[in-house]
Amino acid sequence: DARKGDSSGGPGRPAPEADDRSVMSGGSLDEPEERSPPKALPHEHPLRGEHEDVKRVLLNAHEHVCLEFAADEKQFVCDVYYAAQFETLRRCNGCEDSYIESLSRCMPYDAKGGKSGSAFLLTQDRRFIVKQVSKPEASAFLKFAPSYFEHMYLSWLHRDDLPSVLAKILGFCRVSRPNPAGGKPLKMSVMIMENLFYGRECRPVYDLKGSERNRMVDETGSNAVLQDENLVKTIRDRPVCIRQPTKTHLRAAIWNDTLFLSRMNVMDYSLLVGFDERSNQLVVGIIDFIRTFTWDKKLESWVKEAGILGGGGKGPTIVSPKQYKN
């Protein structure tokens, strides 16, 4: 686990002692789609005795729940989508018991590195992130949600052979209230996601898309989220070395997840990578995976590929889902 010419690992810190189940680093991820993914590492299967219940709910239930409540003399309506599936998914990941309590205490969150302009909240225990999603994103997710639950079920059931590093979406709802100015009610759709860095101290953090087109940010900020060109610059002199079983696990997980996302016509997601200072581990997850390849993304791809907006002749960041997978 040592670096070349150096006994430390990670950018400016000891080589990560990787936990083969949940922390990984990459290599080249360019296997053709028709090849079988490498075998992942075995580890304990949770809730084995509840397998049939988990299967029944995740693959078959499609119920939504509508709740009405009042706060500060204002009426609210909350539509909870796929309520049973999300509850089961949270149980499979050991966070159902604290879910409501965590959401009851939130604070504004500055999601550094994001360009969507969405509002974010972070629960005070730092376990969950609440993200406002646009109407197109909400529609896209609700359409492929059944496939998402199937993917989560298969990765839960066959953890040894079908690992996943998708940052889990654990809830989705739409909140509406009357418009004080009259007219249509005010509505906001939000999704509740796991915080990949819950209980960790990760620095630096990289948001990677596999592109070197305008993917360099200023590294002077202590909490800056770095990008692809920053990582390429760093590892030229200080490569990150990890154990082969960990690399195999990562490659298998990314292969499975990106194949699923390409089949769902999803692109423009990121691989979020953090270096945990306390444990010397790499923490990895795929985020922002609900944007489908719609006509506006196709137009953006054409504009960037044509060089109309510059980019130094490097490839566009917006490509087809199949290209993006590779």
Side-chain angles (χ1 to χ4, degrees), residues 151-267:
H151 183 71
M152 289 290 97
Y153 167 71
L154 293 174
S155 65
W156 173 83
L157 183 64
H158 304 290
R159 296 176 62 137
D160 297 347
D161 300 316
L162 295 172
S164 172
V165 289
L166 289 184
K168 297 176 186 63
I169 298 172
L170 298 170
F172 195 100
C173 61
R174 182 178 64 186
V175 181
S176 59
R177 65 180 179 87
N179 189 336
K184 294 183 178 180
L186 301 176
K187 299 180 180 180
M188 175 184 292
S189 295
V190 298
M191 63 170 47
I192 297 90
M193 308 171 291
E194 67 172 328
N195 178 10
L196 284 174
F197 302 145
Y198 170 65
R200 297 181 178 273
E201 295 291 338
C202 290
R203 292 188 185 84
V205 172
Y206 292 90
D207 181 305
L208 306 176
K209 290 182 177 290
S211 170
E212 293 184 54
R213 182 190 178 99
N214 301 326
R215 298 290 296 169
M216 171 75 79
V217 300
D218 185 3
E219 300 185 26
T220 56
S222 59
N223 294 319
V225 175
L226 308 180
Q227 297 182 356
D228 301 69
E229 291 183 272
N230 299 95
L231 181 62
V232 170
K233 177 183 175 182
T234 297
I235 62 176
R236 283 172 182 164
D237 299 321
R238 302 192 300 276
V240 180
C241 300
I242 63 169
R243 294 190 298 252
Q244 184 61 41
T246 301
K247 180 179 178 180
T248 299
H249 189 73
L250 173 68
R251 289 167 67 91
I254 291 182
W255 193 95
N256 294 329
D257 290 334
T258 56
L259 178 58
F260 161 70
L261 294 174
S262 67
R263 287 173 173 171
M264 294 297 102
N265 204 35
V266 173
M267 35 67 70

Side-chain angles (χ1 to χ4, degrees), residues 26-192:
S28 62
L29 303 172
D30 54 357
E31 297 118 317
E33 191 168 296
E34 61 271 13
R35 290 181 57 187
S36 298
K39 290 285 185 178
L41 302 175
H43 53 282
E44 185 179 357
H45 195 305
L47 300 179
R48 184 179 295 275
E50 301 181 30
H51 164 232
E52 289 302 321
D53 288 340
V54 171
K55 177 180 179 181
R56 175 180 54 81
V57 175
L58 287 183
L59 300 188
N60 298 311
H62 296 92
E63 64 184 55
H64 309 316
V65 176
C66 181
L67 304 173
E68 297 185 10
F69 61 95
D72 296 330
E73 298 183 352
K74 297 177 183 177
Q75 290 295 127
F76 291 84
V77 176
C78 180
D79 295 302
V80 182
Y81 295 99
Y82 297 101
Q85 282 102 323
F86 278 124
E87 179 184 359
T88 299
L89 188 59
R90 293 192 296 268
R91 284 198 299 111
C92 289
N93 288 276
C95 60
E96 170 61 17
D97 291 343
S98 63
Y99 180 68
I100 296 299
E101 182 179 358
S102 295
L103 290 180
S104 68
R105 300 178 180 87
C106 294
M107 54 189 175
Y109 176 57
D110 181 12
K112 297 182 182 299
K115 297 181 179 179
S116 65
S118 299
F120 287 84
L121 296 174
L122 178 67
T123 59
Q124 288 192 1
D125 60 8
R126 311 187 74 83
R127 187 159 195 175
F128 303 106
I129 294 173
V130 182
K131 178 186 178 182
Q132 176 189 5
V133 296
S134 65
K135 186 175 181 179
E137 289 176 326
S139 298
F141 176 75
L142 292 176
K143 287 180 181 178
F144 78 70
S147 298
Y148 165 75
F149 292 120
E150 180 181 9
H151 183 71
M152 289 290 97
Y153 167 71
L154 293 174
S155 65
W156 173 83
L157 183 64
H158 304 290
R159 296 176 62 137
D160 297 347
D161 300 316
L162 295 172
S164 172
V165 289
L166 289 184
K168 297 176 186 63
I169 298 172
L170 298 170
F172 195 100
C173 61
R174 182 178 64 186
V175 181
S176 59
R177 65 180 179 87
N179 189 336
K184 294 183 178 180
L186 301 176
K187 299 180 180 180
M188 175 184 292
S189 295
V190 298
M191 63 170 47
I192 297 90

